[in-house]
Amino acid sequence: MGAGLAIGEVETSGSTEIGMGLTGFGVFFLFFGMILFFDKALLAIGNILFVAGLSFVIGLERTFRFFFQRHKMKATGFFLGGVVVVLIGWPIVGVVLEVYGFFLLFRGFFPVAVGFIRRVPILGSLLNLPGISGFVDKVGESNTMV
């Protein structure tokens, strides 16, 4: 009897698991760096771990193809420029550039994420609150293809 996957279980490779860990630590360090008044060392570590983790998860070739598509060059410039600015030592300016670039890069995924979150019991209720629903509807209606 072979070892099979259980229902709902997804087979992942070792590099994907490493990438998920690196990406998670990267997000943690970025968040922690912002909480500690934009600590440039933590933000730099977070940036490096996030980009390295993304490369491990989807592969180097697909990472380069994602970032360097002709219609995403502006977004890539802002995101990677923000990473460089943080590494140089201007963390607040760098984070602002990164957030703008991140929004431009991943705006095609936002409608999918909003649709998913709306189906989660407690979070879906929060997204339907009066002040939040208008903003979420605006973000969720983006029709830009990835």
Side-chain angles (χ1 to χ4, degrees), residues 39-109:
D39 182 62
K40 61 184 173 184
L42 291 174
L43 292 172
I45 291 170
N47 284 324
I48 292 168
L49 290 175
F50 180 77
V51 173
L54 186 64
S55 298
F56 269 91
V57 169
I58 65 173
L60 280 175
E61 181 183 345
R62 290 179 68 192
T63 302
F64 282 117
R65 276 192 289 158
F66 176 77
F67 278 108
F68 296 108
Q69 295 173 15
R70 181 176 299 270
H71 66 281
K72 290 186 179 179
M73 290 305 287
K74 176 182 170 185
T76 300
F78 275 104
F79 182 75
L80 295 179
V83 171
V84 169
V85 170
V86 167
L87 292 174
I88 288 173
W90 294 345
I92 296 174
V93 175
V95 167
V96 169
L97 291 174
E98 281 181 51
V99 168
Y100 181 65
F102 184 84
F103 177 75
L104 291 178
L105 276 171
F106 296 102
R107 68 180 166 194
F109 296 117

